[in-house]
Amino acid sequence: MMALYNTILYQPLFNLLVFFYNIIPGHDVGLAIIALTIVIKLILFPFSLQSIKSQKSLQSLQPKIEELKKKYKDQKDKMAQAMMELYKQEKVNPFSSCLPLLIQLPFLLAVYQVFRSGLASNNFNLLYSFVANPEHINTISFGFINLAQSNIYLAVLAGLAQFWQTKMMMAKRPPAAVRKEAGAKDEDMSAIMNKQMTYFMPIFTVFIGASLPAGLTLYWFITTLLTALQQLYFLKNDDKNTAETV
């Protein structure tokens, strides 16, 4: 299993990073990381887009879900069945928004290993024949950031990007009139939990990012920033198309 992981993920990513490091003027490893991040983001683009569409669809279903909660407030089994039928009717998978994160985790692990083992030890024996061996990689990026060490400023930037992305898709609490209904109690609690996650995830990102090599934190920052921009573009265009349809 480990050999398969190295062949499919670690080795290709390591070679791609070294390739970018070789061809980028000035041999700046930070720019190489950004280029690598863009390539990974393009690979995962279909999954990210599906996640955004799924989250948007779930938000649009909130009024109907609230109606079901009021209708079946004392019949949990019927409410669960009605919600499953609603998801099926609207062709929405409530779990599909988690898929991109699960797919991205192996990439994140591979990138982490690249920085922990590949660059730190200058271990270039896994380079492909067509990728030149740089013999040494300078981990100082942009002239002053050592990407082999932790960096609190990059961790804060990653946290801010995480906050922007999460808040953009934060589920809103039901209106006050609806919250008075017993059937909307769970929905209101769900919205409150989503709001708490909006602040918890950025704090968690800063905490973890401050203890990781700055190269990995830079990767996470650029990934989150690109995801947020993709999310913003989709939401704006979706709202525009919706307005034109009405």
Side-chain angles (χ1 to χ4, degrees), residues 1-240:
M1 181 64 71
M2 184 58 68
L4 183 64
Y5 163 79
N6 287 333
T7 302
I8 295 178
L9 281 177
Y10 173 75
Q11 191 173 2
L13 291 179
F14 177 62
N15 276 267
L16 190 57
L17 180 63
V18 174
F19 171 76
F20 283 134
Y21 179 81
N22 288 335
I23 66 173
I24 288 177
H27 302 294
D28 192 303
V29 69
L31 295 178
I33 291 172
I34 293 174
L36 175 67
T37 307
I38 293 173
V39 171
I40 294 176
K41 191 62 185 172
L42 288 174
I43 295 174
L44 299 178
F45 177 81
F47 303 103
S48 297
L49 185 60
Q50 181 58 41
S51 174
I52 295 171
K53 288 181 178 179
S54 178
Q55 292 181 61
K56 179 68 174 178
S57 298
L58 285 172
Q59 282 193 343
S60 65
L61 286 181
Q62 291 307 309
K64 293 182 180 180
I65 292 176
E66 290 165 13
E67 290 179 7
L68 292 177
K69 287 182 178 291
K70 288 190 292 182
K71 184 177 181 180
Y72 300 108
K73 58 184 177 180
D74 297 321
Q75 300 170 294
K76 297 294 184 181
D77 293 339
K78 288 187 177 182
M79 183 179 69
Q81 183 178 355
M83 288 183 64
M84 292 303 297
E85 291 177 356
L86 176 63
Y87 290 141
K88 184 177 181 181
Q89 178 183 349
E90 299 292 337
K91 298 180 179 180
V92 174
N93 185 348
F95 304 106
S96 61
S97 60
C98 301
L99 181 61
L101 179 60
L102 295 177
I103 294 176
Q104 185 171 305
L105 284 177
F107 283 88
L108 185 63
L109 180 61
V111 172
Y112 171 73
Q113 189 176 355
V114 165
F115 285 99
R116 185 178 66 87
S117 303
L119 298 186
S121 61
N122 292 325
N123 184 13
F124 299 115
N125 62 316
L126 292 177
L127 288 178
Y128 299 139
S129 58
F130 55 85
V131 177
N133 187 340
E135 297 184 356
H136 172 74
I137 289 184
N138 182 9
T139 58
I140 303 298
S141 180
F142 311 116
F144 64 96
I145 302 177
N146 188 348
L147 296 183
Q149 301 176 357
S150 60
N151 187 290
I152 185 62
Y153 300 106
L154 281 176
V156 171
L157 286 176
L160 290 175
Q162 184 72 54
F163 175 77
W164 181 35
Q165 180 202 348
T166 308
K167 191 172 181 60
M168 204 184 305
M169 295 298 294
M170 184 182 69
K172 297 181 180 179
R173 297 181 67 188
V178 176
R179 293 201 302 268
K180 294 179 181 179
E181 300 288 344
K185 182 178 179 181
D186 293 338
E187 190 65 34
D188 188 40
M189 183 61 66
S190 176
I192 294 174
M193 290 180 64
N194 285 339
K195 187 175 182 179
Q196 291 175 344
M197 288 297 293
T198 303
Y199 297 97
F200 172 77
M201 285 305 296
I203 293 174
F204 180 76
T205 298
V206 174
F207 177 76
I208 296 297
S211 62
L212 294 174
L216 185 61
T217 309
L218 176 63
Y219 164 79
W220 188 253
F221 166 58
I222 299 299
T223 296
T224 307
L225 184 62
L226 291 176
T227 301
L229 291 173
Q230 176 189 350
Q231 197 168 273
L232 180 64
Y233 177 80
F234 171 79
L235 294 177
K236 281 190 174 182
N237 278 271
D238 186 66
D239 292 339
K240 182 180 179 181

